[in-house]
Amino acid sequence: MHKINSPPSLWWQKRPTFLALFAIALATVLFLFILPARTQQPVVLTMLMQGQDIVNWKPFIQEFEQKNPDIRINLIEGPFDSNLVENLYTSAFLLGDSP
């Protein structure tokens, strides 16, 4: 029972184990989620484009790669015929190596 004139005690003074559990939880979050995200390997994006469009996109891609050094974009020159492009997409999707 509390005395009337006694100062209120703080909850962390009563429970030092709570602080230890909080510190362990914080360290777990740091090691499981934050550090792996900071040490992630570079990302490589591959895009299939028609040959005449690649020339127009190269300046944008170079600027993007300069601003984002951990992301690289590979452009693959595809055919102009839309049926052939559709065939490439379909076969790449089925083989699991789609651009």
Side-chain angles (χ1 to χ4, degrees), residues 25-37:
L26 185 64
T28 302
V29 168
L30 176 70
F31 287 116
L32 290 179
F33 299 107
I34 296 174
L35 287 180

Side-chain angles (χ1 to χ4, degrees), residues 16-91:
T17 56
F18 177 76
L19 286 178
L21 291 175
F22 179 74
I24 291 171
L26 185 64
T28 302
V29 168
L30 176 70
F31 287 116
L32 290 179
F33 299 107
I34 296 174
L35 287 180
R38 302 289 296 163
T39 59
Q40 179 174 316
Q41 295 294 323
V43 176
V44 178
L45 302 174
T46 303
M47 295 173 50
L48 176 66
M49 299 183 88
Q50 294 178 344
Q52 70 271 15
D53 292 338
I54 288 179
V55 176
N56 297 331
W57 279 91
K58 283 199 178 204
F60 297 112
I61 291 173
Q62 289 173 351
E63 180 182 344
F64 178 82
E65 287 178 343
Q66 287 175 354
K67 291 180 181 179
N68 304 289
D70 56 337
I71 301 175
R72 186 167 163 10
I73 299 177
N74 291 334
L75 292 178
I76 298 176
E77 184 176 347
F80 184 70
D81 185 19
S82 61
N83 289 335
L84 293 175
V85 172
E86 183 179 346
N87 291 343
L88 281 174
Y89 282 139
T90 303
S91 61

Side-chain angles (χ1 to χ4, degrees), residues 8-19 22:
S9 61
L10 300 174
W11 58 272
W12 61 79
Q13 290 175 342
K14 289 183 178 180
R15 301 188 187 214
T17 56
F18 177 76
L19 286 178
F22 179 74

